[in-house]
Structures are given as C-alpha cells and as structure tokens.
Amino acid sequence: MIKGSLLTWLQRDCTVEQPALPPFLRNKLAQAIVAIVKREYPRVWPNFFIELVAAAGTGPGLADMFVRIMVAVDEDVISLDIPRSAGETKLSMHLKDSMREQGITEVAGAWYNLTQLYKSSRPELAAFVLGSCARYVHWIDIGLVANDKFIPLLSQLMDWQHSSLRAAATDVLIEVVSKRMEPTAKINLVQQLNVVDAMERLSSNLVAAAGANKAAAAAGPCMKANASAAGTAAAANAQALHDDEELLGKYAKLLATLAGEVMDALKRVENVIISFTVAGLGVDDEAGRDAGAAAQTANRLLDSLTRAVLTAFCSGLDTISMPLVPFISAYVARLRALVKRGQQLPAAAQMHLQAVLQGVAAATRYPDNGANEADDGSEGPGLGSSSTTASSSTIGVTANGSGRLSDADLVAAREEQYEVEERRKELLVLLKNAAKLAFREALNFVAGKLQAVLAADGSSGNGLSNGSATAAGAVAGALKANGIAGSVPFQDSELAVTLVYELGEGAPEEALKPSSGTLVQLVLLLLAQAESLPAGRHRLVALAMLETCVRYCRVLQQEQSAIPAVVSLFLGPKGLGHPAADVATRACYLLSRLVKTLRANLKPYMNEVLQQLQPYLVIVATQPPPAGTAAVGTGREVASKALAPITALVDDRLYVFEAVGLLLGQEELPAEQQHAALSSLLQPLMQQIKANLQPAAAEAAGGLGNGSWAILQAIEAIARLSKGFKWELCTRSRPQLGKGCAATEWLWVGCNSTVSACNCGCLFMAAWSTLATAAWLPLTDCCITAVFAVLALLVKQGLPMPSCFLWQPNYLGKGLTIFTVKHS
C-alpha cells in the first residue's frame, strides 16, 4: 500500500511543472522510495532500476526524480564515506553486486541519453544528471562511461556555454581518470580518452582566464610557448572562466589528476621493469616488452601533460595554481629520484624546472590591488603608542593622521598577509627542491627578478656575473622598452627579496664562498641597494629585507664592507624607525639576532650604533606598545603574534636592550668605556622606577596601570641589558661594573649552579631593602624575575599586592627579604 501510494505520487505529481513540487518534497519522496528499495531490492523488486530508467525518459519531471533517487541510493545505502555499521556495510556491498548484475547498464545508458537530451534545453537538469553519474564511476565497470559515446560528449560539454554543465562534465572526467586499476590499463585508458590535446588547450584557456596574456611577453618561455595557441577562442572564453572560480578550480584539479595518475602509473611500470632486471629476466621477455612499451607511452603522455600543467601553473591565479602544486611537487621529487639513481633526466626537464620557478614566483606574489596595497605602514605609530615622539626625521615615527586606514582595512591587510604566508609554505618548499636540482638556473632566475626591480628604478646592476647579469639586463631592457622603468610595485620588490631569502636555505657551500660564491654576489648586491630598493619603505618589503639580512649574517662576517649598509637599514626608517609597529617591533628582535652573530664585527661601529639607538631605547622604556597592532614577521619565524598589552610582562621591543647588552658585554671593550656606557643606560631606568612608585600606589587598587607598567618595563629592560654580561666578567674580571655605578651600591649574590643553568649567564636585578641598594640574581626566566622585582618594590613601599598573587615574606637578616610568590 505504501509502495503503491509513493509510485502514484511519483507519476502523478512529479510530472506536473505548474505548480511544480518543491525540491525538498521531491528529496523526501526519493528517500522514502529508497527506504523501500533497501528492503525489497533485488529479491522482491528486481526490476526497480529498469522501471526507474523507463520512467525517466517520459519527461523532465521524472528525469529529475530519477536523479534524486540515484543520489539518495548513493547517500543512504552505497557510499562508505559516511560511517556505517557492519550490517549497513554488508547491505551496501550486496546492493552494488546486485546492480552490477542487473540495472547499472541501463542506468549508465540513461545518464548518457538524458544528458544528450537536455544539454541545450535544460542545462541545469543535464548537469544534475552528470552529478549523479560522478557518484557511481568509482565502482561501476569503467567501460560504461569511458566509451566512444560518453567521452566525446563529456569533451564537448567541457566547452559548453553553461558553466554548471561544464563543471559537471569535468567532475565525471576526474572520477574516470581517478578510478583504480592496473598501471598498464590506466595508461591505455588515458590514451583512449584522447584528452591530452584537450588538456593543452584547456591550460591555455586557464592562462587567458587569469589575465596572463598581458604578462606573457615578459614571463618567459613557459607562457610564451602557449600564448599564441590560445587564440581568439581562449580570449572569448577568458572572461566567462575568470568569473567562475569554482569551475577554474575543477579544471585545474582535472589537469593535476590526469597528470598525477599517469605519473603514478609510470612509476609502477618502471618498478615492474626494475623487478624483471633484478630477477634476471631479459628485456626480450614478453612481459618486459609490454612494460617497456607502456613506459614509453606513459613518458610521452607525461611530457605533454606536464607541459600543460606548468602552463596553467604560471597563470598566477591561486584558484588555478594551488590544485596543481601536489603534482608539481611529486614531479620534482621524481626528477630528484632519477638523479639519485644515476639516471638521465628527461630532455624537457630543464625547461620544466624553469617553468616551475616561473610558476612559484607568480603564485607567491602578493595580489595587485589587494588589501596591502594601501597598508604600507606609513601611518603607523612606530615603536611607541604616543603620537608625540622624538624627531621623526631621526627615528621614523609618525603621528596618527586623519588619513590613517580604518580598523577594517588593517584587519583585511593582516588577513591577506596571513593567507599569502600560508599559501607560500608549500610553494617555497617546491622552490627549494627545484633549486637543489638546478641551483644555477634557480640563482639566475632569482637574480633576474632582483635586477628587474633594481633596473626599473634606475639602480646599479653591478655585482652579478655571467648568466645572472645577462638575464637581468634582458629583463631590465624589456621593462624600459615598455615604459615602466621607475614604477615598481611593492609586490615585485617583496617577491624579489623573498626569493633571495629562500634561496639561502640549503644552498651549496660553493655558492656561499667569500668573494667567489655566486649567491654571495647576489646578496651583496641586494644589501648594497638596501637603502634605494624600490618600495623599500612598504611594510612588507621592509620586513622581508630585515629577515634577509639576518639570514645572511654569515656573508656579513665574510664581507665586512657590507655591514654599514645593514646597520643603517636596521637603525633607519626602514627598521627600528619604521612607522609600522609590526616592522619596528620585529626589527628589535632581528637586531638582537644580528648583534649576537656579529658582535665582534660591530666593534668599530660601537659608538655610532649606541648613539643612534638612544632614541629607540627611550621610546621602548617609557612608552607602552601600540595597542591592537599585529606584530608579525614574514611567516618565516612567526605566523601571527600580537603586540604585548600594557600589563604584559614580555614586550618584544625589549630585544633592543638585549642587543645593546650584547654589544657592551664584550670583554675586549675598554673597561672605562664599558662602565660609562652601562651607567648612562642604568641611571634613567632606576630614575624611572623611583619616579613611578607613587603613581603605581595610586592605581594599585585597579591592577597594573601606567605607573606599574613603567616600573615593570624598566626592570625588564635592565634584565635584557644584563644578558650580554657574563657572570665571570662582572664578578671577577671587572668587578667595578657591579661594585659602583653612579653612586649606587651593588651587592652580588648568586650561585654557580644557577648560572650554569642559564646558558648566557644572565644577570637580573631584584630590589631588596631599599631602592638605593640592589641584588643581582642569576635566574633563567626574565618574566618571573620581573614579577618578583615588581612585587618586592610594591611591598617595600607598603603598596597593596595585586589580588592574583599570594605572597609570603621570608626575612633572612641584614635587611634582605625574599618573597615567595605563587600565582593563584
């Protein structure tokens, strides 16, 4: 009775188009019918699918219900992507076996007939039909779809004017190509599909859709070779493709899947050949001959498909490029494996590697007209939150003006930066792997990018040799010929610097040799042009330059003539003085790393460096960090890091004090110079502590405020400063550093075991009986030391303790008090 009612409803109400049965009711009806099929097919209702196919041919309403029922069969019974019980899994397998025996052949015929019937009059319905077909391809006989009728139809629909129909046809082809089978059968299938030529045309259409035709003249051989092939047909298709990102992604996935399946089949066939060789079977063996023929066919297909993939990869459109990365990574890994086995690389391998470099550069570039186009950091507060700072001409700090970007724009810029950095992770690994195969070609490519940026701005190109200079000159000439010399967007400068940075990871030793290393020459050229680098003041370009300087500290140790330019970069408006808070804060940290490596090399510039650092030290010690600003690097060290709030114990800007301590803590410095410089640094910090005791008392009831922050910041600055002074230096070699400093009496307390636990023998200051006397305690944690010190100050002055701490004074005599502090 229920079955009859459902079938009556199906034939009566689903054939009427006005008014049409709502889609949700159609879905419920399909699910109800499938519930009966689960119980009665095939024992009670063996002809269900044959009857369903016959009904589907009577009109579009029942054709629509045919598709919905087939979708419900897959979702409710067959698909094992949905977790199922053991009984449900058994039912799924039983239903599939029964359909293979009777019904699936008729269903496959209906998929073809309905698609052919409605592709013009009802393209959405035809796409719906193909969508249901794609669900079944992975387990039915591949010949039901991959045949002389269905494949030409799918190829025709991929150029159809209706985008949903094109996408559905692409999905079916992806499932056909992905179907698991023996490697020789897979190679034969791809050859029989006759879609390789279509894939090359498709890749040209993808390039056109990404707007790559305009850039093809300067983008190198990987795009030039196919630019003319696109023709007017690709140009006509370009806009429609560009407007449908989902379709672009499906096309790219089809390309990558087809190429990946062929390469996997080739690998398995090669393993068979290797097995024959190891087993001692001759190449004349029939199986060996078959495997050899299959390998030749697969190599030919792979070469054509790789060319098509790399053409699309060079488009620079994320929707196209990113789905192709897994295949390209596997292809480069295959080339590396061939080299490792001592085999000869394919003839087109060098051209393919050049295309990989081109594609990586295009995919890693920041987008034109993106959110970071306006957010160059020029309206930021710099290192301090106050708009009233030292002379901006000296330290590069600007006030917040009325033209500052809105919070929404700033958030959009940081989100875009995060997305680009996440995308780059996989792409830059691909770059480095390609460079390991062909380092000279990679170096020349990166050098060409850098020289193009410098030449467009009129900067000198001296410093490169051989192929690098030739490539750079050619690109620069092309830029000038097109009238764009002198106008370099920040995206190009940032990309060139980033590529130089990444090339240094895993570079061969020969490239880093002093004077003769090719990478050394490139780095020295970049460092020499650091001040005049086009768009160098942009926030992202400045960050990339600072990171690159630190990565190539080894080059600076060897080529000390480049040190002044790097120091000037860090201490100028593109480093610590940059108006963008994230750049200035990151520069503080990177400066400490630079000084840690080059402290001995920086001795000739000591006085000048300390003099230029003085304004920054004042700002860091006295001004809270700008609130709500993301202090991010370039994704190489940190992906995202917020600046410390006013109550935080750690402020990344304090790394600048650590850098100063590393400079002053060298034993080779004259004792008088060391003592005088240290005294001049400590006195303002001690005065800051004393001056803020009363303000801290007034605000203590409400927690840590400005006064408490100033005390905490000063003590933390002293702690960071002391990290550059070894324990032996301050207690034995030059005890005057601790015994007397600006009429302040110092008491030395410590134990060797604690010092040995701290790698650098850091010295931290904590207050004891009065502010005029201090104890130096070697501890390993700057933050905990600062907490102890602040609490000691508060208690000694009779100020209330913060409510989040429990404390207990332990009196040791002679005026010395130790506070046991536990965070609640």
Side-chain angles (χ1 to χ4, degrees):
M1 179 179 176
I2 296 176
K3 176 181 173 181
S5 299
L6 290 174
L7 293 179
T8 300
W9 194 5
L10 177 68
Q11 296 174 355
R12 183 190 65 196
D13 296 332
C14 293
T15 56
V16 179
E17 297 190 34
Q18 295 296 333
L21 198 65
F24 77 93
L25 287 181
R26 288 174 173 264
N27 289 335
K28 292 298 182 182
L29 176 59
Q31 292 166 5
I33 292 174
V34 170
I36 296 177
V37 170
K38 290 168 63 175
R39 297 177 60 87
E40 298 190 356
Y41 181 82
R43 183 174 54 85
V44 178
W45 199 356
N47 295 326
F48 167 73
F49 289 103
I50 296 175
E51 295 173 5
L52 180 64
V53 168
T58 61
L62 288 177
D64 176 82
M65 283 306 302
F66 161 76
V67 176
R68 294 180 190 274
I69 291 173
M70 293 304 299
V71 170
V73 168
D74 178 67
E75 291 181 346
D76 296 350
V77 185
I78 293 178
S79 177
L80 296 180
D81 292 337
I82 302 171
R84 300 191 187 279
S85 66
E88 291 172 333
T89 302
K90 183 178 179 180
L91 176 62
S92 172
M93 301 300 295
H94 176 66
L95 181 62
K96 287 192 290 186
D97 291 340
S98 301
M99 290 182 68
R100 290 187 184 103
E101 293 178 2
Q102 181 182 8
I104 195 62
T105 302
E106 289 77 9
V107 170
W111 286 329
Y112 172 81
N113 293 329
L114 293 175
T115 302
Q116 187 75 272
L117 178 63
Y118 294 115
K119 64 181 182 181
S120 299
S121 59
R122 297 175 182 264
E124 291 288 353
L125 178 56
F128 197 19
V129 171
L130 289 179
S132 69
C133 174
R135 293 170 174 264
Y136 287 80
V137 171
H138 70 280
W139 64 266
I140 65 175
D141 181 3
I142 192 62
L144 295 176
V145 180
N147 52 49
D148 295 338
K149 292 173 55 180
F150 221 126
I151 294 302
L153 175 61
L154 295 176
S155 300
Q156 179 190 29
L157 294 179
M158 285 188 65
D159 291 326
W160 210 248
Q161 57 186 358
H162 200 279
S163 62
S164 64
L165 196 49
R166 299 162 83 176
T170 303
D171 285 337
V172 175
L173 279 175
I174 291 173
E175 292 297 328
V176 169
V177 173
S178 301
K179 188 175 177 63
R180 290 187 296 178
M181 59 186 70
E182 290 298 316
T184 304
K186 177 61 68 70
I187 294 169
N188 292 335
L189 171 65
V190 173
Q191 195 172 20
Q192 291 169 6
L193 291 179
N194 198 26
V195 294
V196 175
D197 292 340
M199 292 300 100
E200 291 184 325
R201 293 194 301 272
L202 173 61
S203 67
S204 298
N205 289 341
L206 293 177
V207 172
N213 288 335
K214 181 179 178 181
C222 72
M223 290 166 65
K224 274 186 175 181
N226 295 279
S228 59
T232 28
N237 253 345
Q239 188 59 45
L241 274 174
H242 189 273
D243 293 341
D244 194 337
E245 287 196 4
E246 182 180 0
L247 181 58
L248 285 175
K250 288 181 182 294
Y251 279 179
K253 183 179 178 181
L254 174 59
L255 263 177
T257 302
L258 192 58
E261 290 292 329
V262 170
M263 187 168 65
D264 180 68
L266 174 59
K267 180 180 178 180
R268 289 192 285 165
V269 169
E270 288 175 340
N271 288 339
V272 171
I273 297 175
I274 294 173
S275 300
F276 285 143
T277 304
V278 172
L281 300 177
V283 292
D284 291 336
D285 182 85
E286 183 178 356
R289 289 197 303 270
D290 291 343
Q296 290 180 358
T297 302
N299 272 310
R300 186 174 63 254
L301 292 172
L302 182 61
D303 183 66
S304 298
L305 289 170
T306 301
R307 186 168 59 249
V309 168
L310 292 175
T311 299
F313 186 53
C314 290
S315 65
L317 192 64
D318 301 342
T319 310
I320 299 172
S321 301
M322 296 313 296
L324 302 175
V325 172
F327 164 74
I328 298 173
S329 298
Y331 177 74
V332 173
R334 169 179 165 78
L335 296 182
R336 293 184 65 187
L338 292 176
V339 171
K340 188 175 181 180
R341 292 200 298 260
Q343 296 180 348
Q344 186 177 3
L345 291 178
Q350 291 299 323
M351 184 179 67
H352 290 167
L353 289 174
Q354 286 284 349
V356 170
L357 297 173
Q358 294 272 3
V360 169
T364 55
R365 188 178 183 272
Y366 272 85
D368 292 320
N369 303 317
N372 281 283
E373 193 81 49
D375 182 24
D376 58 0
S378 60
E379 298 296 332
L383 280 176
S385 59
S386 173
S387 61
T388 304
T389 64
S391 172
S392 61
S393 62
T394 303
I395 63 172
V397 179
T398 60
N400 295 339
S402 58
R404 186 179 179 183
L405 294 177
S406 67
D407 290 342
D409 292 334
L410 292 174
V411 169
R414 296 310 188 272
E415 288 179 350
E416 180 187 81
Q417 181 182 358
Y418 177 78
E419 290 171 0
V420 171
E421 296 298 345
E422 284 296 304
R423 184 172 71 245
R424 283 181 170 183
K425 289 179 180 178
E426 194 173 2
L427 290 165
L428 294 176
V429 170
L430 179 57
L431 170 74
K432 286 174 277 196
N433 287 337
K436 290 176 182 177
L437 274 171
F439 184 79
R440 184 178 63 181
E441 288 77 7
L443 178 66
N444 289 340
F445 174 78
V446 174
K449 288 290 183 182
L450 178 60
Q451 275 284 25
V453 170
L454 297 177
D457 197 57
S459 301
S460 171
N462 297 330
L464 294 179
S465 60
N466 302 331
S468 301
T470 303
V475 177
L479 289 169
K480 291 181 180 179
N482 285 280
I484 59 174
S487 57
V488 180
F490 89 88
Q491 293 92 337
D492 291 341
S493 292
E494 193 275 341
L495 174 63
V497 176
T498 296
L499 293 178
V500 174
Y501 175 92
E502 295 295 337
L503 202 59
E505 185 175 339
E509 289 295 324
E510 296 76 12
L512 293 171
K513 286 184 178 179
S515 303
S516 61
T518 50
L519 182 56
V520 169
Q521 296 181 43
L522 181 63
V523 172
L524 291 176
L525 172 64
L526 175 61
L527 298 181
Q529 302 293 335
E531 289 295 331
S532 59
L533 183 69
R537 288 179 180 266
H538 191 282
R539 184 177 63 85
L540 295 174
V541 180
L543 281 170
M545 273 301 304
L546 296 173
E547 298 276 2
T548 303
C549 290
V550 174
R551 161 151 288 186
Y552 290 103
C553 280
R554 177 179 171 185
V555 173
L556 296 174
Q557 286 178 320
Q558 299 164 350
E559 304 287 346
Q560 298 189 27
S561 59
I563 289 180
V566 173
V567 171
S568 177
L569 178 70
F570 269 87
L571 303 183
K574 297 179 183 179
L576 292 171
H578 199 284
D582 56 345
V583 178
T585 302
R586 185 69 178 166
C588 293
Y589 166 72
L590 293 175
L591 178 63
S592 70
R593 286 184 54 189
L594 185 79
V595 171
K596 187 175 295 185
T597 303
L598 301 176
R599 59 190 307 190
N601 306 94
L602 289 171
K603 282 192 295 185
Y605 315 101
M606 176 81 69
N607 292 332
E608 181 182 355
V609 169
L610 292 177
Q611 182 179 0
Q612 293 188 48
L613 280 175
Q614 186 60 36
Y616 302 116
L617 297 174
V618 172
I619 292 175
V620 172
T622 60
Q623 295 185 17
T629 307
V632 297
T634 58
R636 307 178 180 99
E637 299 291 340
V638 289
S640 177
K641 185 175 182 181
L643 282 179
I646 190 172
T647 57
L649 296 175
V650 178
D651 179 355
D652 281 351
R653 302 176 305 159
L654 288 163
Y655 278 108
V656 71
F657 279 93
E658 186 172 324
V660 172
L662 290 169
L663 285 173
L664 290 178
Q666 301 179 72
E667 297 182 11
E668 297 82 2
L669 291 180
E672 295 77 11
Q673 178 186 2
Q674 205 172 39
H675 185 276
L678 183 60
S679 176
S680 65
L681 289 169
L682 289 176
Q683 283 186 20
L685 295 173
M686 291 300 297
Q687 290 299 324
Q688 181 171 323
I689 293 173
K690 292 180 181 180
N692 283 279
L693 287 174
Q694 292 304 320
E699 64 196 20
L704 292 177
N706 289 329
S708 303
W709 177 88
I711 296 173
L712 174 64
Q713 190 79 344
I715 295 176
E716 183 69 15
I718 296 172
R720 297 297 185 94
L721 185 65
S722 67
K723 291 181 72 173
F725 293 85
K726 293 183 179 179
W727 180 262
E728 295 293 330
L729 176 67
C730 296
T731 57
R732 297 180 183 178
S733 303
R734 296 178 181 177
Q736 66 273 19
L737 287 176
K739 288 183 177 179
C741 191
T744 301
E745 181 182 0
W746 304 97
L747 176 67
W748 299 95
V749 183
C751 66
N752 292 332
S753 61
T754 310
V755 175
S756 63
C758 184
N759 294 332
C760 55
C762 306
L763 302 177
F764 301 102
M765 188 186 76
W768 61 300
S769 58
T770 66
L771 281 175
T773 315
W776 287 84
L777 302 176
L779 299 173
T780 58
D781 193 324
C782 303
C783 303
I784 298 300
T785 304
V787 171
F788 283 170
V790 170
L791 294 179
L793 287 170
L794 294 175
V795 172
K796 287 300 180 181
Q797 296 298 320
L799 301 177
M801 295 288 291
S803 59
C804 60
F805 288 98
L806 302 175
W807 64 280
Q808 167 118 21
N810 300 302
Y811 300 99
L812 303 183
K814 298 184 180 179
L816 182 62
T817 306
I818 291 180
F819 292 90
T820 304
V821 183
K822 180 181 178 182
H823 196 284
S824 60

